Amino acid sequence: MCRPEGTLEFDYVSETLFDPAVPQEVIFELSAGAHIFQLLRNERLELVFYHSSPGTGTRVATVDLNSITPCSRVYIALVWSPSETMLYVGPRIAGGKLVRVEGVPSPVRLRVGQDGHIYRIGDAGVEVGHYSMHLGGRLVLQPTAIEAWRNTIQALEVLKKAKSEDGYAFEVILSNFIIVALVTGFETYCRTRFLELESEGVTPDLEAMMAAFCSRLTLEDLKREAASENRTVLQKMAEWINFQNYGQVKKAYRKAYGIRFGEIGVSSSELALLQRLIHHRHRVVHFSPWTGQLPTPSGEPEFSNLRLVEKAITCFDRFVARLHEATLGLRPSK
């Protein structure tokens, strides 16, 4: 079941499924990689199917059992993919009708922690932004790649509203540090999503990664090293990649997953701007936070101000959205 899309069909036999006197019961809850599948019957006589993965988030499909003819045996089908989640329920009786419900984004987020446990985040009317959990000094849960990116954008929208009596000098420094934060968000998204895909059942091309990033080791050597550290080979490989380096990130996604940045729906001019913004970040961090302009191909200076910030946010956000969409289209190799 650790794959981006699939179908699970079964008959469920129960004498109490339609009994309103019986409280909520979990029919099953399991994880497969980073996927979570939960099926329960709640106190409102609803059959509820949750599916969650890092890339899609958590979706929920709910069937009102009052719309089903009561019986002791029902057919249930669970369908999941990056584009939809479906729940089918029908009584195993003559003339029984099959009910089909499409899932919607769930206010409850389900996540598999590094310790293998399933965690529940938020609820109806309870919105949770950034979260992390440590147990025994070990990080076991943190936001997914796309959650972390959305948190970054949300934080920068707040930061843009900052005011100071220092005028344009403040605007330059504020703009520069917003761009620094954008590049950090880009780095976090690209690294986290690169590793999430394996946990969603997408197989990376480890041989191609070895050839591109580490010809001095054999894959067997790396497998033994990863096993001794209780890590995957891809997690070890990710240590070789500077995810703030556009060229390295581009190569890593192409070699591991066959994703070409020039083919994800972002224009060449947008990709060029993104690279210039990454370079600008390096100048700000390693040279001076007062760096006041961004070099352009035309030679005309582009000043570091809130107008540039708007362009930068739009550029990075579009890139992440298109890259994320491309990753959702990946499927396991045969």
Side-chain angles (χ1 to χ4, degrees):
M1 294 176 72
C2 183
R3 52 190 305 113
E5 61 183 3
T7 300
L8 175 64
E9 299 176 280
F10 60 95
D11 279 6
Y12 182 62
V13 179
S14 171
E15 299 296 335
T16 60
L17 183 64
F18 294 89
D19 186 350
V22 176
Q24 174 172 303
E25 61 177 324
V26 176
I27 296 171
F28 71 77
E29 178 181 80
L30 60 89
S31 61
H35 290 272
I36 298 172
F37 305 86
Q38 184 186 80
L39 184 67
L40 60 87
R41 198 275 271 162
N42 64 23
E43 65 280 357
R44 295 186 297 276
L45 275 184
E46 295 171 329
L47 196 63
V48 185
F49 169 47
Y50 289 95
H51 171 257
S52 181
S53 76
T56 63
T58 305
R59 298 194 187 115
V60 58
T62 305
V63 167
D64 183 355
L65 290 176
N66 291 303
S67 65
I68 306 291
T69 303
C71 63
S72 61
R73 180 187 291 268
V74 295
Y75 164 81
I76 298 174
L78 313 176
V79 180
W80 68 95
S81 75
S83 60
E84 64 180 7
T85 299
M86 307 294 296
L87 172 60
Y88 295 82
V89 182
R92 287 293 195 186
I93 57 174
K97 294 183 179 180
L98 185 66
V99 174
R100 168 186 176 275
V101 173
E102 184 171 356
V104 297
S106 170
V108 175
R109 284 178 279 175
L110 300 177
R111 293 287 314 284
V112 181
Q114 294 295 322
D115 57 355
H117 292 162
I118 295 175
Y119 293 91
R120 181 185 179 103
I121 303 161
D123 208 334
V126 180
E127 185 175 347
V128 177
H130 177 80
Y131 59 88
S132 64
M133 180 178 292
H134 292 75
L135 290 177
R138 176 189 172 206
L139 179 65
V140 297
L141 191 67
Q142 60 184 344
T144 65
I146 197 64
E147 286 174 343
W149 176 252
R150 289 167 181 162
N151 288 342
T152 296
I153 295 299
Q154 186 178 35
L156 295 183
E157 290 297 333
V158 173
L159 186 57
K160 281 193 316 182
K161 300 173 185 176
K163 303 293 182 183
S164 170
E165 296 179 356
D166 291 322
Y168 183 67
F170 174 76
E171 185 175 354
V172 169
I173 294 172
L174 175 65
S175 301
N176 282 341
F177 280 101
I178 287 176
I179 291 171
V180 168
L182 272 173
V183 176
T184 299
F186 165 87
E187 174 191 18
T188 299
Y189 172 83
C190 290
R191 179 194 297 111
T192 306
R193 189 64 185 143
F194 185 77
L195 296 173
E196 282 177 352
L197 287 166
E198 184 179 39
S199 70
E200 292 178 1
V202 179
T203 306
D205 188 336
L206 299 180
E207 293 283 1
M209 284 290 294
M210 289 294 296
F213 288 97
C214 189
S215 57
R216 62 182 177 81
L217 289 176
T218 68
L219 185 55
E220 291 306 313
D221 289 337
L222 196 60
K223 285 180 178 179
R224 284 192 293 270
E225 188 176 328
S228 69
E229 299 175 10
N230 196 29
R231 304 173 71 190
T232 70
V233 173
L234 192 68
Q235 288 171 341
K236 290 291 295 181
M237 288 179 169
E239 296 175 353
W240 308 336
I241 304 163
N242 176 2
F243 283 90
Q244 279 191 1
N245 183 305
Y246 176 84
Q248 289 192 27
V249 176
K250 177 182 177 181
K251 182 192 291 186
Y253 272 86
R254 178 166 54 87
K255 295 296 184 180
Y257 298 115
I259 293 177
R260 299 176 182 273
F261 286 0
E263 299 174 357
I264 62 174
V266 180
S267 70
S268 58
S269 60
E270 289 173 312
L271 292 175
L273 174 59
L274 186 141
Q275 293 173 74
R276 287 192 289 116
L277 288 164
I278 292 174
H279 179 67
H280 182 70
R281 174 266 175 202
H282 298 337
R283 293 175 65 215
V284 169
V285 171
H286 299 293
F287 178 61
S288 172
W290 293 93
T291 301
Q293 63 185 48
L294 186 72
T296 64
S298 67
E300 291 291 327
E302 187 162 16
F303 296 104
S304 187
N305 53 30
L306 291 178
R307 182 179 176 184
L308 176 62
V309 162
E310 292 295 344
K311 285 179 61 177
I313 290 175
T314 298
C315 177
F316 275 97
D317 198 35
R318 178 174 171 78
F319 175 85
V320 169
R322 293 295 181 267
L323 176 56
H324 196 72
E325 184 178 332
T327 66
L328 292 178
L330 296 174
R331 296 294 180 269
S333 56
K334 299 295 184 182

